[in-house]
Amino acid sequence: YAEVLCMDSGPGVGYAGGIAGYLAGTVKDCSNWGFIHMYDHNNYTYAGGIVGVASGTVEQSAVISRCFNEASFTGSGIVDYIYNGYVTVKNCYNTGSVTTGIVGIAKGAGISITYCHNVGITTKPIIDSIINADDIEMKNCYYVETSHYDTDRVEMTDAMLSEKFADGTVLALLNNGHWTQGEDDEYPVLGDAPGVTVSGMVTSFGKESEQTTVQLFPSGSDTPAFSITLTGTHAMYSFNGVEAGTYTMKVSKANHVTREYTVVVGNSPIPLDAKIHLLGDVTGDGRLRSNDLSLVYDHVSGEALIEDAYIFACADIDGNGRLRSNDVTKMYNHTTGDEPLW
């Protein structure tokens, strides 16, 4: 409920948001009731109920999902300026009196605005300006029909009478598992996040102060749907609200070999413990010793092949997809201290 202030005393850009002034990552399950006040409007200033300015990249989209704004101020209900594209706004709504209901300016490629609604008093119900964003995705976005709009963007979304918001018509159109509405609600609101919990223990090695990253990628996507950074060699992770589908979980840490797990999510929670090895640590005991060397030497000589893909990757010091005498030599030099691998 606190007031958010943004002051820009000189030439430049000022931005403020109820949750984040600038976003290049993910904001999920957040709400704002606080007034956002912008000073010095001679400069470029952006105010959003959730985010002031958002910008993503081809490799990493910025995501705003399951958020809503109930405050009234000059700005946009969810995000005021999508600066450089690659931003997703999904399952969000605004009830406050603002300039633009959901997004102020959308600039750049890779922008998606879906499953959003606005019932607040605005002159621009969903979006104001679109700049160099011809491929923008806008669907399943709705607003209360009035005569106050002065934007040419209303044709990209659907106007509904307030009665349609109250009687469940809009709820049915938004029905992707995230929305709910009680008998006394005048509009759809966000319900519990659909999906299940994927959680477990991550075991690694090294110092207790070092960090491990765990990411969950939807099948075919290079953008993680969930990501967490853990501290310690034995740490718990938990991803809540994972929707049904197939995912790849990647676990990575400095000096370790990244490990990938295939995760098939259905209707039940998934317990999944993960373990990553230091480079060269074939046996997974946190050390590189003669027994690790013996296993790799036996593979190179053809006496006993290493068939486990992850163990193979731990032994592949050069990272070229083959195990040769050079890998054995580098492992040996580590054990003698001549050329440590980590």
Side-chain angles (χ1 to χ4, degrees), residues 271-285:
L272 177 59
D273 294 336
K275 182 181 180 182
I276 53 175
H277 299 187
L278 289 159
L279 180 63
D281 177 17
V282 176
T283 59
D285 61 1

Side-chain angles (χ1 to χ4, degrees), residues 43-327:
N43 297 311
Y44 294 103
T45 53
Y46 303 100
I50 303 300
V51 173
V53 176
S55 180
T57 65
V58 175
E59 295 78 17
Q60 178 69 58
S61 295
V63 178
I64 306 170
S65 68
R66 291 181 50 85
C67 296
F68 65 90
N69 171 70
E70 294 195 359
S72 297
F73 56 89
T74 300
S76 299
I78 303 301
V79 55
D80 205 24
Y81 187 17
I82 294 176
Y83 169 65
N84 197 33
Y86 304 103
V87 174
T88 295
V89 181
K90 186 175 183 179
N91 296 313
C92 295
Y93 69 95
N94 171 69
T95 67
S97 177
V98 292
T99 307
T100 305
I102 304 298
V103 175
I105 300 171
K107 178 182 178 182
I111 297 173
S112 176
I113 306 169
T114 59
Y115 294 96
C116 297
H117 81 72
N118 172 67
V119 296
I121 298 174
T122 70
T123 55
K124 305 171 181 65
I126 299 294
I127 190 169
D128 181 7
S129 301
I130 297 176
I131 303 173
N132 298 328
D134 294 336
D135 65 340
I136 187 170
E137 178 188 29
M138 288 189 65
K139 64 180 182 180
N140 295 94
C141 292
Y142 308 95
Y143 61 93
V144 175
E145 183 176 345
T146 73
S147 59
H148 302 297
Y149 304 126
D150 62 3
T151 173
D152 59 356
R153 299 300 176 190
V154 294
E155 78 277 4
M156 301 183 69
T157 55
D158 292 315
M160 293 283 174
L161 296 173
S162 58
E163 290 84 352
K164 298 296 183 181
F165 277 85
D167 67 11
T169 300
V170 175
L171 173 66
L173 295 169
L174 290 171
N175 189 16
N176 61 355
H178 291 262
W179 298 87
T180 187
Q181 189 168 358
E183 292 183 2
D184 298 327
D185 290 336
E186 296 181 358
Y187 47 81
V189 296
L190 291 166
D192 294 334
V196 303
T197 297
V198 179
S199 61
M201 172 75 74
V202 175
T203 300
S204 61
F205 301 94
K207 298 178 181 179
E208 289 296 326
S209 59
E210 295 175 339
Q211 294 184 322
T212 302
T213 300
V214 185
Q215 297 175 302
L216 196 62
F217 294 81
S219 179
S221 175
D222 294 327
T223 301
F226 298 86
S227 182
I228 190 172
T229 300
L230 309 173
T231 301
T233 58
H234 295 80
M236 296 294 298
Y237 76 94
S238 181
F239 297 138
N240 301 316
V242 183
E243 298 184 43
T246 301
Y247 298 81
T248 298
M249 190 173 83
K250 293 184 180 181
V251 186
S252 57
K253 184 178 182 179
N255 299 322
H256 288 62
V257 178
T258 297
R259 192 164 200 166
E260 298 186 2
Y261 296 86
T262 298
V263 184
V264 180
V265 177
N267 298 321
S268 302
I270 296 179
L272 177 59
D273 294 336
K275 182 181 180 182
I276 53 175
H277 299 187
L278 289 159
L279 180 63
D281 177 17
V282 176
T283 59
D285 61 1
R287 292 176 288 182
L288 203 174
R289 299 182 296 174
S290 58
N291 55 342
D292 298 293
L293 281 166
S294 296
L295 291 171
V296 179
Y297 179 79
D298 288 345
H299 178 95
V300 172
S301 64
E303 295 183 18
L305 298 181
I306 298 175
E307 297 182 351
D308 184 279
Y310 183 70
I311 301 305
F312 186 99
C314 293
D316 183 12
I317 309 302
D318 291 334
N320 58 12
R322 294 177 290 176
L323 294 186
R324 298 182 297 177
S325 58
N326 190 48
D327 297 298

